[in-house]
Amino acid sequence: MRTSKKYDVIILGGGLAGLTLALHLKQSRSDISILVLEKRKHRAPEAIHKVGESTSELGSFYLREVLHLKEYLNEYQLPKFGFRFFFSPEHSDDISKRVEVGSRISNPFPTHQIDRGIFENYLVDLLISRHVDFRLGAKVLNVELSKEGHTIDFELAGNKHQEEGKWVIDSTGRSSLLKRMLGLTRGSDHTINAAWFRIHADVNIDDWSDNPIWRSYVEPGRRRLATNHLMGEGYWVWIIPLVSGCTSFGIVADPRYHPFEAFSTFEKALQWLKRYEPLAAQVIGRHRERLMDFKVMRNFAHECKQFYSVDRWAVTGDAGTFLDPFYSPGTDFIALGNTWLTDLVIRDLNGEDILLRTMIYEHTHRELLKGWTKLYQDMYGVFGKTQIMLMKIVWDWASYWAVPNVLFTSNGYTSIPILKQYSASADSIGPRFARLNERMQELFRMWNTADSSRFA
């Protein structure tokens, strides 16, 4: 059954990428008509909805300053006390002896630990209050793309429906509906596996040692609020607090060092942790009856052949590309993709020709991903080398602050003159910086193969 209304934008998928895109569009043009179709039948559960709880500075700037969610995040989600890394895996049984990297002062650019279920439910309510049509339990059956208007067939409460939209945007996450339909799927050579789970307990890493000198290094409670990384050869483990009083744990590992089968169930993961991160295993073991969920994903990295089309379709968030959770870039790429998409959609609705911008944004997005991938590709073997990782983190952080953060916060990614100046030729700043970054990452890999010493 087709309704008489034709939407300006139909968003497939009501997760973080789709919800923030709808809000961004509404804030950019209040009269825009938007339909969001979400397959999930009920409101998102707290604590166990999705991973991606940790936000970095670029993504937090997008949520706080671009989408004006600062007050909500300050009141209803946890502040994040930056990234914190624990190296020296040979001291995994005594955290006070591990080389620790992390700030002792507050970051002037706030970030957050976000319970995705609580946050996404809030965004749904906010969008409905701003007259966005949001439909839970909508299973998309078919998408027919046309320059005259795209037609979406979906099932809702046992009935079939059809809606038409000028734009259709895929934010269906890893199911990647449009990407699969259009044959845009592209694999990745970054074949890393992950397992994650939440426990209903507030884990404070300060409690892992009674060494008074170590505990005095950081103000009490601040280690707990960080995104904590336990680092070893071929792996890292995350520990993230949630506002609900739960704690998120994750194991991310290269199968060349740690086969997926070694941590593919909760019991196996606990045994794996006892071997490599015994302090984490002790804490989890004490609270094992409070286990809330356990999920795994093999070869999680995936890419996309095209993100934006002048024919008024696009993909955003995990529906397009996902690289790696290290450095928590997920919300960053949602911010970037949604910013380019909002600019294209609003300009198109205003009658502007978007061909040039579509091509430039596609190129910029792809080149940015190419450079970001270098941070992870064949790097997990370096994670157990403390001295190399100290240098790598300094370089990676400096790169992050020097390029993407500056461009994003200054609206450079939607400025054609700036983007032309940045990447118009092989001698422009962007390509030169990309080559430098590639050489630096290669240096870290070569250093790893040449140096077998331990840094204590």
Side-chain angles (χ1 to χ4, degrees):
M1 179 181 69
R2 174 178 293 181
T3 64
S4 58
K5 183 174 183 177
K6 181 176 180 180
Y7 290 91
D8 293 317
V9 181
I10 298 179
I11 298 174
L12 310 179
L16 184 60
L19 295 173
T20 51
L21 174 62
L23 182 58
H24 199 168
L25 289 166
K26 263 294 180 182
Q27 290 183 347
S28 300
R29 181 168 164 168
S30 61
D31 65 342
I32 191 173
S33 59
I34 303 172
L35 170 65
V36 180
L37 300 176
E38 167 55 36
K39 185 178 181 180
R40 176 169 43 84
K41 294 181 179 180
H42 307 287
R43 290 172 68 84
E46 293 184 8
I48 61 170
H49 181 44
K50 295 176 184 174
V51 288
E53 299 109 332
S54 172
T55 66
S56 295
E57 285 79 5
L58 191 156
S60 284
F61 181 88
Y62 177 67
L63 298 176
R64 292 173 61 87
E65 306 300 336
V66 178
L67 300 185
H68 309 299
L69 296 171
K70 180 191 304 184
E71 292 183 5
Y72 165 80
L73 291 168
N74 286 342
E75 184 170 356
Y76 295 104
Q77 300 288 345
L78 290 179
K80 171 181 165 181
F81 193 59
F83 293 111
R84 188 160 295 272
F85 302 87
F86 294 91
F87 298 108
S88 317
E90 60 271 24
H91 298 303
S92 61
D93 59 346
D94 186 349
I95 198 167
S96 69
K97 293 182 179 179
R98 297 184 79 158
V99 173
E100 179 179 355
V101 177
S103 179
R104 298 178 67 180
I105 61 173
S106 296
N107 189 333
F109 301 92
T111 53
H112 296 273
Q113 312 286 21
I114 294 178
D115 185 310
R116 290 282 296 274
I118 295 173
F119 187 38
E120 291 181 21
N121 288 336
Y122 169 77
L123 290 174
V124 169
D125 294 338
L126 180 62
L127 289 171
I128 291 173
S129 73
R130 298 189 182 184
H131 310 293
V132 170
D133 289 345
F134 185 88
R135 302 187 193 177
L136 275 173
K139 181 181 179 182
V140 177
L141 304 174
N142 185 57
V143 179
E144 184 178 335
L145 300 178
S146 169
K147 293 182 180 180
E148 286 70 43
H150 311 302
T151 302
I152 314 298
D153 295 305
F154 62 97
E155 185 177 83
L156 180 63
N159 298 314
K160 293 185 177 179
H161 300 263
Q162 187 178 83
E163 298 288 359
E164 189 175 346
K166 188 173 184 180
W167 277 82
V168 62
I169 297 166
D170 183 3
S171 65
T172 56
R174 298 189 69 88
S175 60
S176 305
L177 192 151
L178 271 186
K179 186 167 74 173
R180 288 186 292 105
M181 187 185 86
L182 298 175
L184 302 176
T185 301
R186 175 181 287 167
S188 172
D189 294 331
H190 184 57
T191 53
I192 308 297
N193 306 315
W196 64 91
F197 53 94
R198 271 65 64 112
I199 59 173
H200 202 287
D202 190 354
V203 175
N204 187 348
I205 206 165
D206 279 335
D207 298 334
W208 290 17
S209 174
D210 57 5
N211 184 322
I213 297 175
W214 178 79
R215 297 185 75 165
S216 69
Y217 287 156
V218 182
E219 185 177 321
R222 290 201 165 187
R223 281 192 179 98
R224 167 186 167 267
L225 290 174
T227 296
N228 287 294
H229 302 64
L230 309 179
M231 308 291 297
E233 185 179 32
Y235 77 88
W236 62 284
V237 173
W238 80 64
I239 306 171
I240 298 174
L242 299 175
V243 71
S244 54
C246 305
T247 304
S248 172
F249 287 86
I251 299 170
V252 190
D254 187 327
R256 289 173 286 188
Y257 302 88
H258 303 276
F260 174 70
E261 291 73 22
F263 54 87
S264 58
T265 67
F266 176 71
E267 291 301 328
K268 289 181 178 180
L270 191 55
Q271 292 302 314
W272 185 93
L273 286 166
K274 286 180 179 178
R275 178 177 178 182
Y276 295 102
E277 295 295 345
L279 297 182
Q282 289 175 22
V283 171
I284 296 164
R286 287 199 299 269
H287 299 290
R288 61 184 303 157
E289 74 282 358
R290 297 185 178 185
L291 179 69
M292 303 175 70
D293 65 342
F294 182 86
K295 297 179 182 180
V296 296
M297 189 171 294
R298 300 187 72 158
N299 301 335
F300 53 66
H302 62 98
E303 299 182 14
C304 184
K305 296 177 183 177
Q306 185 176 352
F307 296 98
Y308 316 106
S309 172
V310 72
D311 293 330
R312 302 190 180 98
W313 60 260
V315 298
T316 190
D318 287 358
T321 295
F322 183 80
L323 300 178
D324 196 292
F326 195 65
Y327 295 140
S328 305
T331 310
D332 290 356
F333 278 101
I334 288 174
L336 289 158
N338 285 359
T339 296
W340 285 315
L341 256 176
T342 298
D343 191 68
L344 291 174
V345 170
I346 298 302
R347 288 177 184 276
D348 178 61
L349 295 179
N350 290 340
E352 185 175 329
D353 187 334
I354 60 169
L355 175 60
L356 178 61
R357 285 183 176 271
T358 302
M359 295 171 61
I360 291 176
Y361 294 168
E362 179 75 27
H363 173 77
T364 305
H365 193 160
R366 194 159 303 286
E367 290 301 305
L368 187 62
L369 282 169
K370 186 186 300 182
W372 220 296
T373 301
K374 302 296 182 183
L375 306 183
Y376 308 122
Q377 189 72 50
D378 298 322
M379 281 294 177
Y380 272 59
V382 182
F383 285 2
K385 298 290 182 65
T386 302
Q387 191 166 359
I388 304 173
M389 282 303 297
L390 290 173
M391 297 300 102
K392 175 173 166 56
I393 285 174
V394 169
W395 170 259
D396 292 347
W397 281 357
S399 302
Y400 180 71
W401 283 102
V403 182
N405 259 304
V406 172
L407 282 173
F408 187 80
T409 57
S410 62
N411 299 317
Y413 279 119
T414 53
S415 169
I416 301 301
I418 289 177
L419 290 178
K420 283 183 176 179
Q421 183 180 359
Y422 182 75
S423 60
S425 71
D427 291 327
S428 298
I429 296 174
R432 288 165 57 196
F433 184 81
R435 292 193 295 271
L436 176 59
N437 178 59
E438 185 172 0
R439 290 168 184 166
M440 288 297 297
Q441 303 303 330
E442 180 62 24
L443 170 64
F444 300 137
R445 287 191 292 270
M446 293 174 63
W447 186 356
N448 182 45
T449 60
D451 186 1
S452 61
S453 62
R454 291 289 182 181
F455 182 78

